[in-house]
Protein backbone atom coordinates (compact mmCIF):
# COMPACT_ATOMS: atom_id res chain seq x y z
CA UNK A 1 0.00 0.00 0.00
CA UNK A 2 1.43 3.40 -0.94
CA UNK A 3 2.41 5.88 1.74
CA UNK A 4 0.68 9.22 2.10
CA UNK A 5 3.64 10.96 0.47
CA UNK A 6 3.48 8.61 -2.50
CA UNK A 7 -0.26 9.17 -2.79
CA UNK A 8 0.25 12.95 -2.89
CA UNK A 9 3.16 12.86 -5.33
CA UNK A 10 2.71 15.06 -8.38
CA UNK A 11 0.54 17.63 -6.61
CA UNK A 12 2.67 20.20 -4.74
CA UNK A 13 -0.27 21.61 -2.75
CA UNK A 14 -1.40 18.15 -1.67
CA UNK A 15 2.17 17.20 -0.82
CA UNK A 16 2.52 20.29 1.39
CA UNK A 17 -0.70 19.45 3.25
CA UNK A 18 0.39 15.85 3.76
CA UNK A 19 3.74 17.00 5.14
CA UNK A 20 2.02 19.40 7.55
CA UNK A 21 -0.35 16.67 8.71
CA UNK A 22 2.45 14.16 9.15
CA UNK A 23 4.46 16.67 11.20
CA UNK A 24 1.43 17.28 13.41
CA UNK A 25 0.85 13.54 13.65
CA UNK A 26 4.47 12.87 14.65
CA UNK A 27 4.31 15.39 17.51
CA UNK A 28 1.04 13.97 18.82
CA UNK A 29 2.27 10.39 18.51
CA UNK A 30 5.40 11.31 20.51
CA UNK A 31 3.18 12.63 23.32
CA UNK A 32 1.19 9.38 23.19
CA UNK A 33 4.40 7.38 23.40
CA UNK A 34 5.61 9.29 26.44
CA UNK A 35 2.24 8.90 28.15
CA UNK A 36 2.32 5.17 27.42
CA UNK A 37 5.62 4.78 29.22
CA UNK A 38 4.22 6.20 32.46
CA UNK A 39 3.03 3.29 34.63
CA UNK A 40 -0.24 4.94 35.72
CA UNK A 41 -3.26 2.80 34.82
CA UNK A 42 -5.63 4.53 32.41
CA UNK A 43 -3.40 7.55 31.75
CA UNK A 44 -2.42 6.39 28.28
CA UNK A 45 -6.02 5.71 27.24
CA UNK A 46 -7.05 9.18 28.39
CA UNK A 47 -4.12 10.80 26.59
CA UNK A 48 -4.75 8.77 23.43
CA UNK A 49 -8.44 9.72 23.39
CA UNK A 50 -7.64 13.39 23.97
CA UNK A 51 -4.96 13.40 21.27
CA UNK A 52 -7.18 11.70 18.71
CA UNK A 53 -10.13 13.95 19.47
CA UNK A 54 -7.94 16.94 18.53
CA UNK A 55 -5.76 15.33 15.86
CA UNK A 56 -8.54 14.05 13.60
CA UNK A 57 -10.33 17.43 13.30
CA UNK A 58 -6.98 19.15 12.67
CA UNK A 59 -6.22 16.79 9.80
CA UNK A 60 -9.75 17.24 8.47
CA UNK A 61 -9.26 21.02 8.54
CA UNK A 62 -6.03 20.81 6.54
CA UNK A 63 -7.92 18.95 3.82
CA UNK A 64 -11.04 21.14 3.96
CA UNK A 65 -13.15 18.33 5.38
CA UNK A 66 -14.49 19.69 8.67
CA UNK A 67 -18.28 19.89 9.01
CA UNK A 68 -18.09 23.70 8.83
CA UNK A 69 -15.98 23.64 5.66
CA UNK A 70 -18.28 21.09 4.04
CA UNK A 71 -21.35 23.17 4.89
CA UNK A 72 -19.90 26.02 2.83
CA UNK A 73 -19.69 23.87 -0.31
CA UNK A 74 -22.37 24.01 -2.96
CA UNK A 75 -24.82 21.07 -2.78
CA UNK A 76 -23.37 19.19 -5.76
CA UNK A 77 -19.84 19.25 -4.29
CA UNK A 78 -21.19 18.22 -0.88
CA UNK A 79 -22.92 15.25 -2.50
CA UNK A 80 -19.67 14.22 -4.22
CA UNK A 81 -17.89 14.38 -0.85
CA UNK A 82 -20.58 12.24 0.79
CA UNK A 83 -20.26 9.63 -1.97
CA UNK A 84 -16.46 9.64 -1.65
CA UNK A 85 -16.70 9.26 2.14
CA UNK A 86 -19.10 6.32 1.71
CA UNK A 87 -16.78 4.76 -0.87
CA UNK A 88 -13.75 5.06 1.42
CA UNK A 89 -15.77 3.73 4.34
CA UNK A 90 -14.35 6.10 6.92
CA UNK A 91 -16.31 7.38 9.90
CA UNK A 92 -13.96 10.23 10.76
CA UNK A 93 -14.03 12.46 7.66
CA UNK A 94 -16.40 15.41 7.79
CA UNK A 95 -17.88 14.49 11.16
CA UNK A 96 -17.88 16.09 14.57
CA UNK A 97 -15.44 13.96 16.50
CA UNK A 98 -17.07 12.39 19.54
CA UNK A 99 -15.79 9.97 22.14
CA UNK A 100 -17.73 7.19 20.40
CA UNK A 101 -15.93 7.84 17.11
CA UNK A 102 -12.55 7.91 18.85
CA UNK A 103 -13.31 4.58 20.55
CA UNK A 104 -14.42 3.09 17.23
CA UNK A 105 -11.12 4.16 15.67
CA UNK A 106 -9.17 2.81 18.64
CA UNK A 107 -10.70 -0.63 18.07
CA UNK A 108 -8.63 -0.77 14.87
CA UNK A 109 -5.50 -0.99 16.99
CA UNK A 110 -7.04 -2.73 20.01
CA UNK A 111 -4.54 -5.60 20.11
CA UNK A 112 -1.62 -3.18 20.13
CA UNK A 113 -3.19 -1.16 22.92
CA UNK A 114 -3.82 -4.30 24.99
CA UNK A 115 -0.20 -5.37 24.54
CA UNK A 116 0.85 -1.89 25.59
CA UNK A 117 -1.07 -2.28 28.87
CA UNK A 118 0.60 -5.61 29.65
CA UNK A 119 4.09 -4.51 28.66
CA UNK A 120 4.04 -1.45 30.88
CA UNK A 121 4.47 -3.46 34.06
CA UNK A 122 7.77 -5.06 33.03
CA UNK A 123 10.47 -2.74 34.43
CA UNK A 124 12.29 -0.52 31.92
CA UNK A 125 12.09 -2.74 28.82
CA UNK A 126 8.33 -3.04 29.21
CA UNK A 127 7.94 0.71 29.49
CA UNK A 128 10.03 1.21 26.37
CA UNK A 129 7.92 -1.34 24.48
CA UNK A 130 4.76 0.30 25.78
CA UNK A 131 5.98 3.71 24.59
CA UNK A 132 6.82 2.30 21.16
CA UNK A 133 3.41 0.65 20.86
CA UNK A 134 1.67 3.85 22.01
CA UNK A 135 3.55 5.89 19.42
CA UNK A 136 2.92 3.42 16.61
CA UNK A 137 -0.79 3.05 17.40
CA UNK A 138 -1.46 6.78 17.14
CA UNK A 139 0.83 7.04 14.14
CA UNK A 140 -1.04 4.21 12.38
CA UNK A 141 -4.46 5.75 13.04
CA UNK A 142 -3.26 9.17 11.88
CA UNK A 143 -1.66 7.83 8.69
CA UNK A 144 -4.83 5.92 7.85
CA UNK A 145 -6.88 9.06 8.38
CA UNK A 146 -4.59 11.12 6.15
CA UNK A 147 -4.93 8.45 3.43
CA UNK A 148 -8.71 8.54 3.80
CA UNK A 149 -8.74 12.34 3.53
CA UNK A 150 -6.50 12.23 0.45
CA UNK A 151 -8.78 9.70 -1.21
CA UNK A 152 -11.92 11.70 -0.41
CA UNK A 153 -10.45 14.99 -1.67
CA UNK A 154 -9.26 13.40 -4.90
CA UNK A 155 -12.47 11.40 -5.48
CA UNK A 156 -14.69 14.42 -4.87
CA UNK A 157 -12.45 16.75 -6.86
CA UNK A 158 -12.17 19.24 -4.00
CA UNK A 159 -9.73 22.10 -3.91
CA UNK A 160 -7.62 22.28 -0.78
CA UNK A 161 -8.29 25.23 1.51
CA UNK A 162 -5.82 28.08 1.53
CA UNK A 163 -3.08 27.47 4.09
CA UNK A 164 -3.58 29.27 7.35
CA UNK A 165 -1.27 32.24 7.54
CA UNK A 166 0.24 33.28 10.78
CA UNK A 167 -0.07 36.94 11.68
CA UNK A 168 3.09 38.88 11.07
CA UNK A 169 4.50 40.98 13.80
CA UNK A 170 4.98 44.62 13.00
CA UNK A 171 8.36 45.99 13.93
CA UNK A 172 8.33 48.38 16.86
CA UNK A 173 8.68 51.96 15.81
CA UNK A 174 11.87 53.65 16.86
CA UNK A 175 11.62 56.72 18.95
CA UNK A 176 13.78 59.65 18.10
CA UNK A 177 16.02 60.66 20.97
Amino acid sequence: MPSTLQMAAGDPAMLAVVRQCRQLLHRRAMVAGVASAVPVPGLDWAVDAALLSRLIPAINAHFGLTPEQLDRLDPSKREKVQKAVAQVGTVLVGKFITQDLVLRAAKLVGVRLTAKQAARFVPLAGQAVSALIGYSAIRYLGEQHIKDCLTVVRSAGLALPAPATEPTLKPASRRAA
Side-chain angles (χ1 to χ4, degrees), residues 74-155:
D74 62 86
S76 64
K77 277 286 190 192
R78 212 172 317 140
E79 186 177 332
K80 285 181 181 180
V81 170
Q82 289 171 349
K83 285 180 182 178
V85 168
Q87 187 177 17
V88 170
T90 180
V91 295
L92 299 174
V93 172
K95 304 272 193 302
F96 286 108
I97 304 303
T98 63
Q99 184 177 8
D100 181 51
L101 288 176
V102 169
L103 290 175
R104 206 181 301 176
K107 284 181 184 178
L108 291 172
V109 290
V111 174
R112 289 182 186 179
L113 297 176
T114 303
K116 177 174 70 170
Q117 292 294 325
R120 173 181 297 139
F121 297 105
V122 176
L124 298 177
Q127 289 173 327
V129 168
S130 183
L132 180 62
I133 293 171
Y135 173 85
S136 64
I138 295 297
R139 185 73 188 209
Y140 174 79
L141 285 172
E143 283 287 330
Q144 285 303 118
H145 186 63
I146 293 170
K147 286 178 183 179
D148 290 346
C149 288
L150 266 166
T151 304
V152 167
V153 167
R154 286 223 168 117
S155 296

Side-chain angles (χ1 to χ4, degrees), residues 42-93:
L43 175 67
D44 58 332
W45 285 92
V47 170
D48 290 352
L51 288 171
L52 287 172
S53 68
R54 290 188 182 104
L55 177 67
I56 300 301
I59 292 171
N60 284 344
H62 281 301
F63 284 97
L65 296 172
T66 64
E68 297 84 17
Q69 290 167 318
L70 294 177
D71 285 344
R72 285 183 253 150
L73 294 175
D74 62 86
S76 64
K77 277 286 190 192
R78 212 172 317 140
E79 186 177 332
K80 285 181 181 180
V81 170
Q82 289 171 349
K83 285 180 182 178
V85 168
Q87 187 177 17
V88 170
T90 180
V91 295
L92 299 174
V93 172

Side-chain angles (χ1 to χ4, degrees), residues 20-29 55 58-59 62:
Q20 289 173 342
C21 290
R22 289 183 90 194
Q23 185 178 30
L24 177 66
L25 172 60
H26 174 71
R27 287 189 302 238
R28 302 284 169 90
L55 177 67
I59 292 171
H62 281 301

